[in-house]
Amino acid sequence: MYRKQTCGELRLANVGQEVTLAGWVQRVRKMGGLTFVDLRDRYGITQLVFDESEADAALCDKATHLGREYVIQVIGVVRERESKNKNIPTGDVEIVAKELNVISVSEVPPFTIEDKTDGGDDLRMQYRYLDLRRPMVRKNLELRHKLAFEVRRYLDAQNFLEVETPMLIKSTPEGARDFVVPSRMNPGQFYALPQSPQQFKQLLMVAGFDRYFQIVKCFRDEDLRADRQPEFTQIDCEMSFVEQDDVIEMFEGMMKHLFKELKGIEFDKFPRMTWEDAMKYYGSDKPDVRFGMKFVELKNMSPLRAYVQGADTSGVGQSVFPEGQFTVFDSVPYVAGINAKGCAGYTRKQIDGLTDFVKRSQIGAKGLIWVRKNDDGSLKSSIDKFYAPEVIEAICQKFEAEPGDLMLILCGEMRRTQKQLCALRLEMGQRLGFRDPSVYVPLWVIDFPLFEWDEETQRYYATHHPFTSPNPDDVPLLDTDQGKVRSWAYDCVMNGVELGGGSVRIHDSKLQEKMFELLGFTEEKAMEQFGCLINAFKYGAPPHAGLAFGLDRVVSMFAEIDSIRDTIAFPKNNQGRDVMIDAPCAIDQAQLDELQIALNLKEE
RNA sequence: GGUGCGUUAGUUCAGUUGGUUAGAAUAUCGCCCUGUCACGGCGGAGGUCACGGGUUCGAGUCCCGUACGCACCGCCA
């Protein structure tokens, strides 16, 4: 062994012991004849001291020539420090070096290996193995390890079996784009990497495995974001003989277990919200409910058929605005806003800034209307010239406005405006400091619509996937009004992030056939893509349901960071490139020949 | 596919209305320093201002294009 102790373990109790440490040189501080060296390994930092008045000159001279990130071994005696450092656990002691061996020298690293590094993201990714030496980054991976470990501990205790499913599977054109892998032994044919083990976990239920989970890599060839990687990890689960509530309770239990074990946080029962309410009050299927600022509808003339079955349609068909006074509001079906409590003091410049924010092309609002209730109770708004004071007063009543409040109002088509208002609400929540990453507020979003209408192709698509069970109460609507059908699907949402989601699956062949029919699959097409599962269901399929959590996102939430990149040891950049190993890359002609593949690159 | 921001020393950034030799911090190197731990002091070295084109007497600065990075919209059953 190159070492007998680690750099994180020595304390006052060890004073007088001879120790052998090995690690990386964090920093060298020269004080004339006295030299301090900070030695770092995974477990901490320990100070070495070389004193010319005590040790031989050659040893001390060697220490002064150490560079950052040299790997060294040192043998010495633990001594209590003359001046202690309260900032580090080993700060009471130091090692009086007797022997120093340079095991490996280092070039000067391109950035400093410290928590507050001077390196940019790009450079850190290129030298990820250096970046990973930084305790901040390593901590996230330690957290990831512990979290995955606790997931296994919880699910094992609940009788779940971890089963591996294949990575080389069959491509399906529905859903996200597949990564494909050519098959040498089957020229012209391709495997796909799984977007998720969806069909396999359902087959495991048919096989009677009853409770399955897997912490598994999934692959989607779609454009990336801070919280999206081309390969990501799911905690993938499925259970038999259960209904929606059973699954929700099981995995609410898992989340509670994780928060208790890793953060010491205990939750009451997670609240549930219907998809329709999430849209109506927050404009999002993953609302951030750390703060209120719920939408207030001032006018809603949207047709009733726009709502799913059982939705709260109170207020539909009502408007606080008299007609013929403001053509903008007259011409739209939907006007709604949020109350930014205590923001009446916003300057013209600040409101203009918010207007610019909602008019950005990503959000796409035409403009922003505001109403201010001043501290003295007087009202001022950007629509004073269109409406009588009583109308402005009526608006304030809808918002339950108090002196000092600022109401921000958008209008347009309902769903579009809800999304815009959602962006504005989150922006205001950010500005007002309501989005504290150390505050966790979970909820389940339920009652998703089973189908989504696609304007482009003029047909319905499955919101979740084609195996999702409709709510049995809504089955009659499958024939009459598909848009109103609720599904038995559920998402676990926390702080505006979708951490996971799943559904009850269809186990009845007849109902499954009907679903394929409604989604525009011919029998042949359905058999071609999902034949295996359809056939399996002919041999006795148990009722089953499941869900999957995004492990990377769960870890980033626990770590209180926005990007999932620093929860992954070797992540990819915005373009899906690994800049460290330079992948993807072109391959040899010989490899292409063997696969019988010819490239046909677009010139441009 | 689209929008926005960015690209200047190893690194992180500043650089005014377009005008002399492009600066700071940090890292690095040298000298000094015996209780530092963000050590301190003095000194040195370090630049194809991303690339290509344009406007101009003159471009790091203005315009157009390209590349790359980040964030977002579309997309992600």
Side-chain angles (χ1 to χ4, degrees), chain A residues 214-233:
Chain A
Q214 186 181 188
I215 295 178
V216 62
K217 273 286 176 73
C218 301
F219 306 86
R220 292 178 192 172
D221 188 9
E222 294 292 346
D223 288 2
L224 306 176
R225 292 280 192 287
D227 63 348
R228 267 193 246 157
Q229 285 271 297
E231 51 176 312
F232 60 101
T233 305

Side-chain angles (χ1 to χ4, degrees), chain A residues 36-37 72-73 76-77 88 113 182 214 239 253 260 262 266 284 327 359 405 410 414 431 454 468 473 477 539:
Chain A
F36 297 105
V37 177
I72 61 171
Q73 179 195 46
V77 176
I88 59 173
I113 314 291
Q214 186 181 188
M239 306 168 74
K260 191 176 169 204
L262 298 170
E266 302 207 32
S284 167
T327 50
K359 285 169 86 171
D405 289 355
L410 297 176
M414 181 175 74
R431 291 187 186 201
D454 183 68
T468 301
D473 294 345
L477 289 168
Y539 294 94

Side-chain angles (χ1 to χ4, degrees), chain A residues 366-535:
Chain A
K366 296 248 167 54
L368 176 69
I369 285 133
W370 53 268
V371 176
R372 187 161 63 204
K373 185 157 187 170
N374 294 314
D375 289 334
D376 62 5
S378 64
L379 300 176
K380 177 88 185 104
S381 83
S382 56
I383 46 173
D384 282 343
K385 56 176 174 268
F386 299 108
Y387 292 113
E390 299 78 54
V391 177
I392 308 297
E393 183 57 46
I395 293 171
C396 288
Q397 276 178 17
K398 277 267 186 188
F399 280 104
E400 296 174 6
E402 295 168 16
D405 289 355
L406 174 69
M407 284 140 281
L408 302 167
I409 297 163
L410 297 176
C411 68
E413 188 270 321
M414 181 175 74
R415 294 296 185 208
R416 180 191 298 264
T417 306
Q418 284 173 335
K419 284 190 76 173
Q420 295 166 350
L421 203 49
C422 171
L424 179 63
R425 175 179 172 273
L426 292 175
E427 174 69 16
M428 288 309 295
Q430 189 74 39
R431 291 187 186 201
L432 296 172
F434 294 150
R435 305 188 72 193
D436 180 346
S438 67
V439 172
Y440 297 94
V441 183
L443 82 155
W444 291 98
V445 177
I446 57 171
D447 287 357
F448 281 78
L450 186 61
F451 300 103
E452 259 172 336
W453 180 255
D454 183 68
E455 282 295 333
E456 231 171 87
T457 50
Q458 290 287 302
R459 54 164 273 208
Y460 280 109
Y461 283 87
T463 304
H464 197 54
H465 59 59
F467 313 111
T468 301
S469 174
N471 184 318
D473 294 345
D474 297 352
V475 166
L477 289 168
L478 286 174
D479 296 312
T480 58
D481 201 349
Q482 294 168 35
K484 295 181 92 71
V485 178
R486 287 168 297 177
S487 66
W488 258 349
Y490 31 82
D491 275 359
C492 182
V493 173
M494 188 174 275
N495 297 2
V497 176
E498 181 197 328
L499 290 182
S503 62
V504 176
R505 326 299 183 190
I506 299 168
H507 63 280
D508 176 64
S509 296
K510 284 276 180 307
L511 185 57
Q512 186 67 64
E513 265 173 43
K514 184 165 193 111
M515 277 295 290
F516 282 133
E517 193 189 312
L518 290 171
L519 290 168
F521 284 83
T522 60
E523 208 181 321
E524 296 75 42
K525 192 79 184 163
M527 280 308 284
E528 186 189 313
Q529 282 186 34
F530 309 110
C532 173
L533 195 61
I534 292 168
N535 280 333

Side-chain angles (χ1 to χ4, degrees), chain A residues 275-308:
Chain A
W275 177 84
E276 194 72 68
D277 277 354
M279 297 305 293
K280 185 182 178 75
Y281 295 115
Y282 302 97
S284 167
D285 59 3
K286 45 179 201 277
D288 185 344
V289 292
R290 277 174 294 186
F291 61 105
M293 219 188 277
K294 283 188 183 178
F295 296 1
V296 173
E297 293 179 354
L298 301 172
K299 173 181 181 180
N300 189 351
M301 298 297 173
S302 295
L304 281 168
R305 65 180 148 76
Y307 295 87
V308 296

